[in-house]
Amino acid sequence: KDGKNIDEAASRLRPPVFFKYKRRFQIQAGRWSEDLLIRGLELLMKAELSAKSTDMPTIAVVERTLIQLAQVGRRAARR
């Protein structure tokens, strides 16, 4: 959003993306639109709230959220 391309943004990550996976990471990151990123962050915030405020087992909350994120990611891949 601040004008950096994917390569510049990826190079600033800490820890850095392992060099063998850098290209794959950039391709996958480029598929996520702003709307899909917002949806993913909403899912993560909802999971955090559920883990902290319900009696649901944390592992179940995490597993469900990862499945939901994978579904959002699948939508990103179709674009």
Side-chain angles (χ1 to χ4, degrees):
K1 194 90 170 152
D2 62 357
K4 290 182 177 40
N5 66 33
I6 293 172
D7 187 46
E8 291 172 16
S11 69
R12 299 186 78 171
L13 292 174
R14 296 294 174 254
V17 177
F18 186 61
F19 76 95
K20 286 186 178 182
Y21 302 124
K22 188 175 180 182
R23 184 71 187 134
R24 186 183 319 172
F25 174 86
Q26 291 171 339
I27 290 169
Q28 290 178 9
R31 291 178 177 162
W32 285 74
S33 68
E34 186 175 347
D35 290 339
L36 291 176
L37 288 170
I38 290 169
R39 177 67 182 134
L41 288 172
E42 288 171 347
L43 289 170
L44 292 170
M45 289 188 299
K46 182 179 173 185
E48 180 182 17
L49 184 62
S50 292
K52 292 179 176 178
S53 64
T54 68
D55 291 333
M56 241 179 120
T58 304
I59 193 78
V61 172
V62 171
E63 288 173 344
R64 180 185 66 203
T65 304
L66 289 175
I67 290 169
Q68 291 171 329
L69 283 171
Q71 291 170 338
V72 172
R74 191 174 320 138
R75 281 184 234 134
R78 290 183 191 149
R79 292 179 178 222

XYZ file of all heavy atoms in Angstrom:
638
model
N 0.818 -1.195 0.000
C 0.000 0.000 0.000
C 0.864 1.262 0.000
O 0.435 2.294 -0.451
C -0.914 -0.040 1.238
C -2.026 0.942 1.194
C -3.223 0.337 0.550
C -4.395 1.248 0.740
N -5.379 1.165 -0.248
N 2.057 1.156 0.565
C 2.908 2.343 0.648
C 3.829 2.479 -0.561
O 4.833 3.183 -0.510
C 3.713 2.340 1.939
C 4.666 1.169 2.056
O 4.677 0.319 1.155
O 5.402 1.111 3.049
N 3.514 1.810 -1.662
C 4.274 1.968 -2.884
C 5.377 0.949 -3.101
O 6.053 0.992 -4.108
N 5.568 0.039 -2.178
C 6.610 -0.976 -2.351
C 6.068 -2.116 -3.208
O 4.925 -2.496 -3.091
C 7.049 -1.526 -0.998
C 7.826 -0.525 -0.175
C 8.267 -1.168 1.116
C 9.110 -0.287 1.963
N 8.750 1.102 2.052
N 6.929 -2.657 -4.049
C 6.501 -3.830 -4.788
C 6.723 -5.073 -3.911
O 7.298 -4.982 -2.823
C 7.203 -3.922 -6.146
C 8.692 -4.146 -6.029
O 9.174 -4.803 -5.113
N 9.447 -3.601 -6.967
N 6.267 -6.201 -4.374
C 6.341 -7.426 -3.576
C 7.780 -7.797 -3.245
O 8.078 -8.211 -2.129
C 5.614 -8.575 -4.300
C 4.114 -8.286 -4.344
C 5.875 -9.906 -3.618
C 3.313 -9.226 -5.179
N 8.690 -7.619 -4.196
C 10.096 -7.954 -3.959
C 10.682 -7.113 -2.825
O 11.344 -7.634 -1.928
C 10.906 -7.775 -5.235
C 12.327 -8.279 -5.089
O 12.507 -9.391 -4.554
O 13.258 -7.561 -5.498
N 10.410 -5.805 -2.848
C 10.918 -4.924 -1.796
C 10.305 -5.276 -0.444
O 10.998 -5.322 0.567
C 10.613 -3.463 -2.125
C 11.379 -2.914 -3.293
C 10.895 -1.526 -3.689
O 10.188 -0.880 -2.903
O 11.234 -1.102 -4.798
N 8.997 -5.515 -0.434
C 8.319 -5.850 0.815
C 8.837 -7.172 1.376
O 9.094 -7.294 2.580
C 6.812 -5.914 0.595
N 9.014 -8.173 0.524
C 9.497 -9.479 0.978
C 10.915 -9.381 1.523
O 11.263 -10.074 2.488
C 9.442 -10.495 -0.169
N 11.723 -8.521 0.939
C 13.107 -8.400 1.404
C 13.201 -7.763 2.786
O 14.215 -7.898 3.460
C 13.943 -7.612 0.401
O 13.548 -6.257 0.379
N 12.148 -7.103 3.219
C 12.142 -6.455 4.532
C 11.584 -7.347 5.636
O 11.613 -6.955 6.807
C 11.337 -5.170 4.461
C 11.959 -4.185 3.449
C 11.275 -2.894 3.476
N 11.787 -2.192 4.669
C 11.544 -0.939 4.938
N 10.787 -0.237 4.139
N 12.037 -0.372 6.015
N 11.075 -8.512 5.289
C 10.529 -9.415 6.300
C 11.633 -9.950 7.198
O 12.736 -10.240 6.753
C 9.797 -10.587 5.635
C 8.509 -10.247 4.908
C 7.984 -11.477 4.185
C 7.474 -9.718 5.875
N 11.323 -10.109 8.479
C 12.257 -10.706 9.432
C 11.533 -11.764 10.218
O 10.511 -11.455 10.826
C 12.823 -9.645 10.381
C 13.664 -8.603 9.667
C 14.937 -9.232 9.086
N 15.675 -8.271 8.270
C 15.727 -8.291 6.955
N 15.093 -9.200 6.271
N 16.422 -7.400 6.297
N 11.956 -12.984 10.223
C 13.096 -13.490 9.465
C 12.788 -13.465 7.967
O 11.627 -13.516 7.561
C 13.269 -14.922 9.966
C 11.927 -15.323 10.467
C 11.286 -14.054 10.981
N 13.829 -13.399 7.158
C 13.613 -13.319 5.706
C 13.050 -14.624 5.144
O 13.189 -15.689 5.741
C 15.017 -13.057 5.158
C 15.948 -13.542 6.207
C 15.243 -13.386 7.520
N 12.408 -14.503 4.005
C 11.903 -15.680 3.294
C 13.107 -16.482 2.818
O 14.051 -15.925 2.245
C 11.017 -15.263 2.104
C 10.541 -16.477 1.323
C 9.840 -14.427 2.581
N 13.098 -17.793 3.047
C 14.182 -18.671 2.608
C 14.334 -18.551 1.097
O 13.345 -18.577 0.356
C 13.867 -20.102 3.019
C 14.968 -21.087 2.757
C 16.207 -20.950 3.352
C 14.761 -22.156 1.907
C 17.227 -21.864 3.106
C 15.765 -23.078 1.655
C 17.000 -22.926 2.263
N 15.558 -18.388 0.627
C 15.812 -18.066 -0.783
C 15.165 -19.042 -1.748
O 14.729 -18.646 -2.830
C 17.315 -17.928 -1.054
C 18.070 -19.232 -1.121
C 18.307 -19.858 -2.331
C 18.552 -19.832 0.047
C 18.999 -21.046 -2.401
C 19.250 -21.020 -0.013
C 19.479 -21.640 -1.236
N 15.077 -20.320 -1.409
C 14.478 -21.302 -2.323
C 12.977 -21.081 -2.496
O 12.396 -21.511 -3.487
C 14.708 -22.720 -1.814
C 16.121 -23.207 -1.988
C 16.230 -24.658 -1.596
C 17.630 -25.180 -1.821
N 17.736 -26.610 -1.487
N 12.345 -20.406 -1.528
C 10.903 -20.188 -1.565
C 10.516 -18.761 -1.928
O 9.329 -18.440 -1.989
C 10.281 -20.551 -0.212
C 10.539 -21.966 0.207
C 11.136 -22.246 1.428
C 10.215 -23.030 -0.621
C 11.392 -23.548 1.817
C 10.466 -24.333 -0.246
C 11.051 -24.580 0.977
O 11.298 -25.870 1.353
N 11.496 -17.920 -2.184
C 11.234 -16.503 -2.403
C 10.288 -16.273 -3.582
O 9.315 -15.529 -3.470
C 12.548 -15.746 -2.614
C 12.368 -14.259 -2.654
C 13.714 -13.551 -2.733
C 13.510 -12.058 -2.762
N 14.768 -11.328 -2.874
N 10.558 -16.889 -4.717
C 9.713 -16.678 -5.902
C 8.289 -17.177 -5.666
O 7.314 -16.504 -6.006
C 10.341 -17.373 -7.118
C 9.584 -17.126 -8.387
C 9.762 -15.679 -8.850
N 8.885 -15.445 -9.985
C 8.112 -14.387 -10.134
N 8.133 -13.433 -9.254
N 7.338 -14.264 -11.175
N 8.151 -18.352 -5.063
C 6.827 -18.907 -4.770
C 6.065 -17.983 -3.812
O 4.878 -17.730 -3.979
C 6.967 -20.299 -4.155
C 5.642 -20.993 -3.967
C 5.742 -22.337 -3.292
N 6.862 -23.140 -3.735
C 7.210 -24.274 -3.165
N 6.529 -24.742 -2.140
N 8.226 -24.955 -3.599
N 6.771 -17.470 -2.805
C 6.181 -16.536 -1.855
C 5.664 -15.288 -2.580
O 4.547 -14.835 -2.337
C 7.214 -16.144 -0.791
C 6.738 -15.082 0.155
C 6.014 -15.429 1.284
C 7.005 -13.750 -0.086
C 5.564 -14.446 2.158
C 6.562 -12.765 0.773
C 5.836 -13.113 1.902
N 6.480 -14.738 -3.482
C 6.094 -13.528 -4.202
C 4.869 -13.765 -5.090
O 3.974 -12.921 -5.151
C 7.257 -13.021 -5.041
C 8.397 -12.490 -4.208
C 9.634 -12.188 -5.031
O 9.802 -12.702 -6.131
N 10.502 -11.361 -4.488
N 4.811 -14.893 -5.744
C 3.662 -15.223 -6.594
C 2.401 -15.330 -5.753
O 1.355 -14.764 -6.078
C 3.916 -16.523 -7.383
C 4.992 -16.289 -8.448
C 2.627 -17.039 -8.023
C 5.508 -17.564 -9.091
N 2.498 -16.055 -4.630
C 1.329 -16.224 -3.782
C 0.890 -14.903 -3.158
O -0.304 -14.599 -3.093
C 1.607 -17.264 -2.707
C 1.705 -18.661 -3.267
C 2.033 -19.703 -2.215
O 2.024 -19.424 -1.029
N 2.338 -20.907 -2.653
N 1.841 -14.101 -2.705
C 1.503 -12.804 -2.105
C 0.836 -11.886 -3.118
O -0.080 -11.131 -2.782
C 2.754 -12.156 -1.533
N 1.269 -11.963 -4.361
C 0.704 -11.121 -5.410
C -0.730 -11.461 -5.760
O -1.436 -10.647 -6.366
N -1.187 -12.610 -5.385
C -2.555 -13.036 -5.692
C -3.588 -12.459 -4.725
O -4.775 -12.437 -5.039
C -2.652 -14.559 -5.655
C -1.914 -15.227 -6.771
C -2.011 -16.711 -6.652
N -1.344 -17.349 -7.778
C -0.968 -18.612 -7.791
N -1.196 -19.383 -6.752
N -0.368 -19.105 -8.849
N -3.138 -12.024 -3.562
C -4.062 -11.559 -2.528
C -4.427 -10.099 -2.771
O -3.597 -9.226 -2.693
C -3.432 -11.717 -1.147
C -3.410 -13.139 -0.682
C -2.597 -14.118 -1.135
C -4.235 -13.724 0.310
N -2.864 -15.290 -0.484
C -3.872 -15.074 0.406
C -5.250 -13.246 1.126
C -4.486 -15.953 1.301
C -5.858 -14.127 2.016
C -5.484 -15.452 2.090
N -5.697 -9.868 -3.040
C -6.182 -8.500 -3.200
C -6.358 -7.866 -1.815
O -6.321 -8.552 -0.789
C -7.530 -8.504 -3.919
O -8.521 -9.085 -3.075
N -6.567 -6.575 -1.807
C -6.792 -5.885 -0.536
C -8.027 -6.448 0.174
O -8.018 -6.643 1.389
C -6.958 -4.385 -0.778
C -7.045 -3.584 0.506
C -7.081 -2.091 0.265
O -6.806 -1.643 -0.863
O -7.383 -1.368 1.222
N -9.085 -6.735 -0.571
C -10.300 -7.295 0.030
C -10.046 -8.650 0.675
O -10.544 -8.933 1.763
C -11.408 -7.431 -1.008
C -11.962 -6.086 -1.460
O -11.789 -5.095 -0.723
O -12.564 -6.039 -2.544
N -9.268 -9.505 0.001
C -8.971 -10.821 0.567
C -8.064 -10.711 1.792
O -8.225 -11.461 2.754
C -8.339 -11.726 -0.492
C -9.273 -12.165 -1.618
C -8.510 -12.970 -2.657
C -10.448 -12.968 -1.080
N -7.125 -9.779 1.768
C -6.274 -9.566 2.937
C -7.099 -9.099 4.130
O -6.901 -9.568 5.260
C -5.175 -8.550 2.625
C -4.067 -9.031 1.702
C -3.185 -7.854 1.290
C -3.245 -10.115 2.375
N -8.037 -8.207 3.881
C -8.918 -7.735 4.954
C -9.722 -8.901 5.511
O -9.860 -9.052 6.725
C -9.831 -6.600 4.450
C -8.993 -5.345 4.206
C -10.971 -6.329 5.420
C -9.727 -4.244 3.463
N -10.244 -9.745 4.628
C -11.011 -10.921 5.074
C -10.142 -11.844 5.929
O -10.570 -12.341 6.965
C -11.571 -11.679 3.869
C -12.309 -12.931 4.200
C -13.595 -12.645 4.957
N -14.244 -13.895 5.296
C -14.740 -14.187 6.489
N -14.720 -13.303 7.450
N -15.282 -15.353 6.730
N -8.909 -12.074 5.512
C -8.004 -12.916 6.284
C -7.714 -12.333 7.658
O -7.712 -13.067 8.666
N -7.481 -11.031 7.732
C -7.235 -10.394 9.019
C -8.465 -10.446 9.919
O -8.355 -10.640 11.135
C -6.789 -8.944 8.818
C -5.384 -8.781 8.258
C -5.117 -7.317 7.916
C -4.345 -9.293 9.240
N -9.648 -10.306 9.333
C -10.879 -10.427 10.110
C -10.998 -11.820 10.714
O -11.388 -11.972 11.877
C -12.097 -10.118 9.240
C -12.242 -8.662 8.898
C -13.322 -8.406 7.850
O -13.810 -9.355 7.198
O -13.664 -7.215 7.674
N -10.667 -12.834 9.929
C -10.711 -14.210 10.441
C -9.741 -14.399 11.596
O -10.070 -15.039 12.603
C -10.388 -15.210 9.322
C -11.448 -15.391 8.246
C -10.896 -16.223 7.093
C -12.684 -16.064 8.838
N -8.539 -13.845 11.476
C -7.542 -13.975 12.537
C -7.968 -13.242 13.806
O -7.794 -13.765 14.920
C -6.185 -13.470 12.053
C -5.523 -14.326 10.979
C -4.310 -13.607 10.402
C -5.137 -15.687 11.540
N -8.549 -12.067 13.651
C -9.017 -11.325 14.833
C -10.171 -12.051 15.516
O -10.238 -12.121 16.745
C -9.418 -9.911 14.447
C -8.226 -9.042 14.092
S -8.589 -7.289 13.839
C -9.722 -7.336 12.466
N -11.068 -12.610 14.713
C -12.188 -13.373 15.261
C -11.677 -14.610 16.010
O -12.173 -14.946 17.087
C -13.134 -13.786 14.125
C -14.350 -14.525 14.566
C -15.241 -14.861 13.367
C -16.382 -15.750 13.776
N -17.180 -16.185 12.634
N -10.661 -15.253 15.459
C -10.086 -16.434 16.113
C -9.441 -16.059 17.439
O -9.591 -16.774 18.442
C -9.055 -17.091 15.194
N -8.725 -14.947 17.452
C -8.097 -14.513 18.706
C -9.151 -14.244 19.766
O -9.014 -14.662 20.921
C -7.260 -13.256 18.476
C -6.587 -12.765 19.744
C -5.787 -11.504 19.557
O -5.971 -10.803 18.556
O -4.959 -11.217 20.442
N -10.217 -13.555 19.378
C -11.295 -13.269 20.315
C -11.930 -14.564 20.827
O -12.174 -14.710 22.030
C -12.345 -12.375 19.647
C -13.497 -11.910 20.519
C -12.982 -11.056 21.678
C -14.482 -11.104 19.682
N -12.181 -15.509 19.935
C -12.768 -16.795 20.341
C -11.854 -17.561 21.287
O -12.302 -18.137 22.268
C -13.049 -17.670 19.119
O -14.080 -17.126 18.347
N -10.568 -17.558 20.991
C -9.610 -18.287 21.823
C -9.521 -17.688 23.224
O -9.312 -18.411 24.200
C -8.238 -18.290 21.171
N -9.695 -16.384 23.321
C -9.542 -15.706 24.609
C -10.838 -15.570 25.392
O -10.797 -15.345 26.601
C -8.940 -14.312 24.396
C -7.502 -14.358 23.923
C -6.959 -12.962 23.709
C -5.488 -12.996 23.322
N -4.968 -11.634 23.077
N -11.981 -15.678 24.728
C -13.229 -15.358 25.431
C -14.261 -16.479 25.447
O -15.362 -16.275 25.944
C -13.852 -14.110 24.819
O -14.215 -14.343 23.476
N -13.932 -17.638 24.896
C -14.875 -18.762 24.923
C -14.203 -19.969 25.560
O -13.005 -19.972 25.794
C -15.342 -19.145 23.494
O -14.243 -19.696 22.775
C -15.922 -17.949 22.749
N -15.004 -20.964 25.823
C -14.475 -22.210 26.375
C -14.022 -23.173 25.284
O -13.660 -24.313 25.572
C -15.537 -22.899 27.245
C -15.806 -22.134 28.526
O -14.893 -21.416 28.988
O -16.925 -22.253 29.074
N -14.075 -22.726 24.038
C -13.655 -23.585 22.940
C -12.170 -23.892 23.059
O -11.383 -23.002 23.377
C -13.894 -22.870 21.609
C -14.849 -23.592 20.706
S -15.061 -22.651 19.192
C -14.486 -23.868 18.058
N -11.780 -25.135 22.835
C -10.348 -25.456 22.885
C -9.574 -24.630 21.844
O -9.983 -24.513 20.694
C -10.296 -26.943 22.533
C -11.678 -27.447 22.753
C -12.598 -26.294 22.539
N -8.464 -24.060 22.274
C -7.676 -23.194 21.403
C -7.263 -23.902 20.126
O -7.289 -23.317 19.041
C -6.430 -22.681 22.159
O -6.862 -22.034 23.355
C -5.641 -21.704 21.324
N -6.881 -25.162 20.234
C -6.430 -25.903 19.048
C -7.556 -26.002 18.017
O -7.313 -25.898 16.814
C -5.862 -27.296 19.421
C -5.119 -27.901 18.235
C -6.917 -28.247 19.903
C -3.756 -27.334 18.045
N -8.798 -26.146 18.485
C -9.933 -26.214 17.562
C -10.148 -24.872 16.872
O -10.445 -24.818 15.672
C -11.194 -26.632 18.310
N -9.986 -23.785 17.617
C -10.124 -22.450 17.038
C -9.066 -22.248 15.958
O -9.351 -21.767 14.858
C -10.004 -21.361 18.129
C -9.954 -19.975 17.511
C -11.151 -21.467 19.127
N -7.834 -22.628 16.261
C -6.733 -22.463 15.309
C -6.962 -23.320 14.066
O -6.803 -22.840 12.934
C -5.382 -22.805 15.975
C -4.257 -22.849 14.949
C -5.061 -21.805 17.069
N -7.350 -24.575 14.253
C -7.582 -25.461 13.109
C -8.682 -24.921 12.201
O -8.532 -24.888 10.978
C -7.949 -26.865 13.595
C -6.782 -27.612 14.197
C -7.176 -28.934 14.825
O -8.389 -29.174 15.076
O -6.267 -29.736 15.091
N -9.778 -24.473 12.806
C -10.894 -23.941 12.018
C -10.453 -22.705 11.247
O -10.764 -22.539 10.067
C -12.078 -23.616 12.936
C -13.277 -23.068 12.169
C -14.393 -22.650 13.061
N -13.939 -21.497 13.849
C -14.450 -21.128 15.017
N -15.425 -21.827 15.555
N -13.985 -20.080 15.651
N -9.690 -21.841 11.901
C -9.241 -20.610 11.255
C -8.284 -20.900 10.113
O -8.358 -20.261 9.051
C -8.593 -19.675 12.288
O -9.538 -19.432 13.334
C -8.172 -18.366 11.660
N -7.392 -21.854 10.281
C -6.472 -22.208 9.195
C -7.225 -22.752 7.985
O -6.877 -22.439 6.842
C -5.430 -23.216 9.684
C -4.386 -22.652 10.648
C -3.487 -23.768 11.159
C -3.570 -21.549 10.006
N -8.263 -23.524 8.227
C -9.083 -24.031 7.114
C -9.769 -22.867 6.404
O -9.786 -22.794 5.173
C -10.109 -25.067 7.621
C -9.386 -26.345 8.037
C -11.164 -25.359 6.555
C -10.255 -27.342 8.795
N -10.309 -21.933 7.185
C -10.968 -20.777 6.584
C -9.979 -19.917 5.792
O -10.307 -19.436 4.704
C -11.649 -19.939 7.667
C -12.838 -20.631 8.292
C -13.371 -19.897 9.511
O -12.630 -19.239 10.234
N -14.676 -20.016 9.735
N -8.784 -19.730 6.326
C -7.758 -18.963 5.606
C -7.358 -19.659 4.311
O -7.133 -19.011 3.288
C -6.529 -18.751 6.484
C -6.648 -17.685 7.564
C -5.448 -17.735 8.495
C -6.813 -16.312 6.954
N -7.285 -20.981 4.345
C -6.958 -21.731 3.131
C -8.043 -21.542 2.079
O -7.750 -21.435 0.883
C -6.782 -23.212 3.457
N -9.301 -21.473 2.510
C -10.393 -21.244 1.568
C -10.301 -19.850 0.952
O -10.518 -19.678 -0.250
C -11.740 -21.438 2.261
C -12.005 -22.875 2.629
C -13.218 -23.040 3.536
O -13.636 -22.107 4.211
N -13.768 -24.241 3.564
N -9.947 -18.852 1.761
C -9.753 -17.503 1.241
C -8.584 -17.506 0.258
O -8.654 -16.903 -0.810
C -9.521 -16.484 2.392
C -9.128 -15.129 1.838
C -10.761 -16.375 3.270
N -7.513 -18.214 0.609
C -6.360 -18.319 -0.267
C -6.683 -18.996 -1.578
O -6.151 -18.643 -2.638
N -7.554 -19.961 -1.547
C -7.979 -20.640 -2.772
C -8.694 -19.654 -3.701
O -8.508 -19.667 -4.902
C -8.891 -21.817 -2.438
C -9.147 -22.720 -3.629
C -9.938 -23.972 -3.311
N -9.563 -24.565 -2.048
C -10.437 -25.056 -1.168
N -11.733 -25.032 -1.416
N -10.048 -25.595 -0.033
N -9.512 -18.774 -3.093
C -10.156 -17.738 -3.885
C -9.134 -16.803 -4.513
O -9.289 -16.358 -5.643
C -11.138 -16.935 -3.023
C -12.433 -17.675 -2.823
C -13.423 -16.816 -2.050
N -13.844 -17.643 -0.919
C -13.934 -17.256 0.323
N -13.674 -16.020 0.660
N -14.315 -18.087 1.259
N -8.071 -16.513 -3.772
C -7.020 -15.641 -4.282
C -6.342 -16.277 -5.495
O -6.001 -15.611 -6.452
C -5.994 -15.340 -3.190
N -6.149 -17.587 -5.438
C -5.465 -18.305 -6.519
C -6.299 -18.315 -7.795
O -5.755 -18.412 -8.891
C -5.146 -19.728 -6.081
N -7.605 -18.218 -7.668
C -8.490 -18.255 -8.836
C -8.520 -16.938 -9.599
O -8.987 -16.879 -10.709
C -9.923 -18.593 -8.396
C -10.074 -20.009 -7.933
C -11.512 -20.293 -7.600
N -11.621 -21.563 -6.909
C -12.532 -21.838 -6.014
N -13.434 -20.943 -5.689
N -12.568 -23.004 -5.425
N -8.061 -15.881 -8.961
C -8.137 -14.545 -9.590
C -7.058 -14.349 -10.606
O -6.054 -14.848 -10.693
C -8.052 -13.475 -8.532
C -9.292 -13.499 -7.683
C -9.225 -12.445 -6.606
N -10.463 -12.509 -5.882
C -11.140 -11.480 -5.490
N -10.705 -10.284 -5.711
N -12.271 -11.617 -4.844
